[in-house]
Amino acid sequence: MDIAIKVIPALMEGVKTTLQVFMMTLVCSLPLGLLIGLAAVSRFKPVTVLINTFIWVIRGTPLLLQMIFVFFGFPLIGLTIQDRLLAVLLAFIVNYSAYFAEIFRGGIQAIPKGQYEAAKVLGLSKIQMIRKIIIPQVIKIVYPSVGNEVITLIKDTSLVYALGLSEVMKVGRIAMQREASIIPLIDVGIIYLILTGIVTLLLKLGEKKLSYYK
C-alpha cells in the first residue's frame, strides 16, 4: 500500500504527457480526418487514388513503426525533428486522421442519395450542402465508431515511451523496476481505467444529446 501511494506523484506527472498527446491528437486528427473523408468520396480519380493509398499505408502499418520512422527516418531524407513530443504528435495525428477518414467516408456513403437531390432542389451550394445536411447526418452515423477510436487513442498513448517520453506507462515501468514490485503497474492500470471511464461517460452524454436532436 505504501508503494502504491509513493509512486502516485510521479505517475501524475506522466499523466500530463498522456493527456497532452491524447488531446492534441484528438483536436487535430478529427477535423483532418473529416476533410480527408470528404476528399475520399470525390469524383476526381487522382484524388481518390491518392487518399486510398494514404489510408491503406497508414492503416496497414503499426503506429509504433510510424513514430520511429518520423523521429529516426525523417533525418535520412533531410527532415530532422529534434522535439520528441512533436514527432510523437505528428505520427499520432497522421495515424488517427487515416482511421477517422475511413470512418467518415463510410458515414458519408451511408447517406441516401435523396438527401443530395433534395439539397439541389433547395438551391444549396456544395459548401452549404456539406455544412447543413451532410456533416450533421454523418456525425450521428459515425459517432459510435469515432467513440471507439477515441477510447483506443487513450490506450495507444502508452506507445510514446518508445521515443523516451515520460508518460504514465514509462513512469510505472521505472517505478516497478526501482521498487521491485508489480504495484506501480497496477496503479498504471487503474489510471487508464479511470481515463477511459471518464471518456466513456462523456461519449455517452454526447450520444444522449445527439439522440435528443433527432
Side-chain angles (χ1 to χ4, degrees), residues 157-175:
T157 57
S158 62
L159 295 174
V160 308
Y161 81 89
L163 291 189
L165 293 181
S166 295
E167 49 70 60
V168 66
M169 188 67 190
K170 181 180 179 180
V171 173
R173 188 183 62 172
I174 292 173

Side-chain angles (χ1 to χ4, degrees), residues 35 38 41-44 108 111 115-136:
L35 290 175
L38 288 169
V41 296
S42 169
R43 294 181 181 180
F44 189 51
I108 293 168
I111 296 175
Q115 296 289 323
Y116 297 95
E117 294 171 359
K120 290 181 180 179
V121 171
L122 292 172
L124 297 178
S125 65
K126 285 188 177 181
I127 294 177
Q128 289 175 323
M129 179 178 67
I130 291 172
R131 184 168 58 87
K132 294 183 178 181
I133 295 178
I134 306 304
I135 291 179

Side-chain angles (χ1 to χ4, degrees), residues 5 7 29 34 37 47-48 75 77 86 95 106 110 118 120 126 130-131 134 141 144 166-167 172-173 188 193 208:
I5 297 174
V7 300
S29 62
L34 177 58
V47 172
T48 56
I77 57 175
L86 181 59
N95 182 276
K120 290 181 180 179
K126 285 188 177 181
I130 291 172
R131 184 168 58 87
I134 306 304
I141 293 170
S166 295
E167 49 70 60
R173 188 183 62 172
V188 170
L193 284 172
K208 287 182 179 179

Side-chain angles (χ1 to χ4, degrees), residues 3-152:
I3 295 176
I5 297 174
K6 180 181 178 182
V7 300
I8 286 178
L11 289 175
M12 288 299 100
E13 286 298 315
V15 168
K16 292 180 182 179
T17 302
T18 297
L19 291 177
Q20 187 176 10
V21 173
F22 171 74
M23 292 301 298
M24 289 299 295
T25 301
L26 196 60
V27 168
C28 295
S29 62
L30 270 174
L32 186 57
L34 177 58
L35 290 175
I36 297 172
L38 288 169
V41 296
S42 169
R43 294 181 181 180
F44 189 51
K45 194 69 175 177
V47 172
T48 56
V49 171
L50 182 63
I51 295 298
N52 287 335
T53 302
F54 165 75
I55 293 175
W56 173 66
V57 170
I58 297 302
R59 295 182 71 200
T61 54
L63 174 56
L64 180 58
L65 174 62
Q66 293 163 19
M67 286 169 47
I68 294 172
F69 180 79
V70 169
F71 190 73
F72 295 104
F74 274 21
L76 299 178
I77 57 175
L79 298 173
T80 302
I81 301 178
Q82 296 181 345
D83 189 330
R84 293 174 186 268
L85 179 58
L86 181 59
V88 164
L89 288 174
L90 180 59
F92 265 75
I93 290 168
V94 170
N95 182 276
Y96 272 85
S97 293
Y99 278 90
F100 285 137
E102 190 66 12
I103 292 172
F104 284 124
R105 173 165 59 181
I108 293 168
Q109 293 175 334
I111 296 175
K113 291 183 179 179
Q115 296 289 323
Y116 297 95
E117 294 171 359
K120 290 181 180 179
V121 171
L122 292 172
L124 297 178
S125 65
K126 285 188 177 181
I127 294 177
Q128 289 175 323
M129 179 178 67
I130 291 172
R131 184 168 58 87
K132 294 183 178 181
I133 295 178
I134 306 304
I135 291 179
Q137 293 187 66
V138 167
I139 290 173
K140 292 179 181 180
I141 293 170
V142 306
Y143 191 84
S145 298
V146 169
N148 289 335
E149 287 298 323
V150 172
I151 292 173
T152 300

